[in-house]
């Protein structure tokens, strides 16, 4: 038994090391792209992006040996590096965003933190809301109201994408209603706040699918996600275009002033 246990441990360790090695080997192009971003031509950058996409496709299909979460974590770290490189992204765009999340959600659909990044990077930056929604729906098949905790947020992110980027008020209404239902299972202040605000948004949309109040409230959700300055400016512009105003209080919080009529 002891020998079998040692063999099993050794096999597991070797598999882990192999996976780590493969993952690290598959991402040299991204690091090269980051290091040479100031001088690289657009043609070179586009070649690097194609190479990175092939690497992600490989990682999606490779065996995990039970280390799916580990692989998901590593890929998410590489995504953050990719997304945060504004200088290169201004040249090439954000088309790889959904490719990262395709792999991560396939490996670890309960990795809750990735869904907000998925919504912002894929819908707002890459202009692929349909892809973001499809990936969220794929991940939701592995979620429940209780596992993981606060998984109701995924329904909210999905509702935001459906309302703001597809204009599908009916689908958004169902997503916000589900978020409210899932959040209502918990008694803590955060969950109750999410339950109440999601329910109000769902009710707005059920009464008036074109509700400006609902759209402003949804952009306010984006604004309150502690997003980067570019996303913040986009949300404020959208709120103002709908007739609302954003006022920053002395405490640093955002106060939304709604228009007189919906």
């Amino acid at each position: 038994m002891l020998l079998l246990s040692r063999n099993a441990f050794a096999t597991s360790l070797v598999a882990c090391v192999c996976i780590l090695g493969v993952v690290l080997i598959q991402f040299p192009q991204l690091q090269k792209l980051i290091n040479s971003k100031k001088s690289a031509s657009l043609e070179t950058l586009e070649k690097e992006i194609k190479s990175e996409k092939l690497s992600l496709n490989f990682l999606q299909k490779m065996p995990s040996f039970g280390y799916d979460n580990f692989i998901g974590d590593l890929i998410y770290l590489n995504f953050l590096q990719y997304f945060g490189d504004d200088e290169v992204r201004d040249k090439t765009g954000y088309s790889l965003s959904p490719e990262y999340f395709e792999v991560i959600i396939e490996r670890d659909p309960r990795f809750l933190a990735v869904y907000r990044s998925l919504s912002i990077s894929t819908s707002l930056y890459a202009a692929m809301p349909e892809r973001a929604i499809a990936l969220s729906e794929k991940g939701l098949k592995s979620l429940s109201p209780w596992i993981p905790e606060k998984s109701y947020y995924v329904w909210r992110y999905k509702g935001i994408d459906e309302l703001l980027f597809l204009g599908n008020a009916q689908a958004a209404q169902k997503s916000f209603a589900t978020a409210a239902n899932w959040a209502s299972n918990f008694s803590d202040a955060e969950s109750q706040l999410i339950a109440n605000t999601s329910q109000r948004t769902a009710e707005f949309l059920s009464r008036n699918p074109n509700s400006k109040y609902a759209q402003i409230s949804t952009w306010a959700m984006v604004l309150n996600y502690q997003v980067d300055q570019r996303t913040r400016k986009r949300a404020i512009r959208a709120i103002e275009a709908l007739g609302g105003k954003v006022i920053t209080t002395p405490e640093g919080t955002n106060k939304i002033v709604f228009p007189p009529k919906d």
Side-chain angles (χ1 to χ4, degrees):
M1 287 292 292
L2 182 59
L3 180 59
L4 289 174
S5 179
R6 287 178 177 174
N7 287 341
F9 174 77
T11 301
S12 178
L13 181 61
V14 169
C16 182
V17 171
C18 289
I19 291 170
L20 177 60
V22 169
V23 172
L24 293 176
I25 288 170
Q26 290 301 313
F27 283 99
Q29 302 302 326
L30 179 60
Q31 192 59 51
K32 188 191 298 181
L33 180 151
I34 291 168
N35 293 336
S36 61
K37 63 184 179 182
K38 291 184 179 180
S39 59
S41 66
L42 180 59
E43 183 181 3
T44 298
L45 294 175
E46 288 176 346
K47 287 180 179 178
E48 298 288 355
I49 292 296
K50 290 179 180 178
S51 177
E52 182 68 6
K53 185 173 181 178
L54 290 173
S55 297
L56 288 167
N57 289 338
F58 171 78
L59 288 169
Q60 184 177 2
K61 298 173 183 177
M62 67 172 279
S64 66
F65 304 104
Y67 290 94
D68 285 311
N69 294 3
F70 178 68
I71 295 173
D73 289 345
L74 287 175
I75 295 173
Y76 186 55
L77 289 174
N78 278 278
F79 162 76
L80 293 176
Q81 199 172 33
Y82 164 87
F83 184 75
D85 194 346
D86 294 337
E87 195 167 341
V88 173
R89 298 286 73 74
D90 286 342
K91 296 178 181 179
T92 66
Y94 295 82
S95 62
L96 279 188
S97 290
E99 307 302 329
Y100 280 100
F101 291 106
E102 186 80 50
V103 183
I104 297 169
I105 290 174
E106 179 71 30
R107 297 292 184 179
D108 187 8
R110 293 178 178 175
F111 190 174
L112 197 59
V114 308
Y115 289 93
R116 184 175 73 175
S117 298
L118 163 66
S119 176
I120 291 173
S121 67
T122 303
S123 293
L124 191 60
Y125 284 88
M128 301 181 195
E130 296 92 344
R131 187 85 182 273
I133 291 166
L135 287 168
S136 294
E137 289 174 345
K138 181 178 181 179
L140 280 165
K141 293 177 182 178
S142 299
L143 307 184
S144 76
W146 299 275
I147 302 175
E149 288 188 16
K150 300 181 181 179
S151 55
Y152 48 76
Y153 274 111
V154 180
W155 283 106
R156 279 169 65 88
Y157 303 147
K158 180 171 173 285
I160 288 172
D161 290 338
E162 290 164 337
L163 180 62
L164 300 183
F165 303 112
L166 292 187
N168 191 340
Q170 185 177 7
Q173 188 269 331
K174 292 179 180 178
S175 292
F176 282 114
T178 305
N181 182 36
W182 282 29
S184 65
N185 288 287
F186 304 93
S187 59
D188 62 282
E190 179 183 358
S191 298
Q192 286 300 303
L193 176 63
I194 295 300
N196 292 333
T197 56
S198 297
Q199 186 60 40
R200 285 201 301 270
T201 303
E203 290 171 358
F204 273 132
L205 291 172
S206 65
R207 292 194 302 267
N208 179 8
N210 299 314
S211 170
K212 291 183 179 179
Y213 284 10
Q215 292 178 62
I216 290 172
S217 296
T218 306
W219 276 114
M221 295 177 200
V222 175
L223 194 61
N224 289 327
Y225 285 156
Q226 298 180 344
V227 291
D228 60 89
Q229 279 300 315
R230 186 185 300 185
T231 306
R232 175 181 170 79
K233 289 178 181 177
R234 169 74 183 276
I236 291 174
R237 286 198 305 269
I239 290 171
E240 291 174 346
L242 291 163
K245 292 182 180 180
V246 179
I247 299 174
T248 302
T249 68
E251 294 78 21
T253 59
N254 298 308
K255 179 181 178 182
I256 307 299
V257 179
F258 288 82
K261 293 183 180 181
D262 192 357

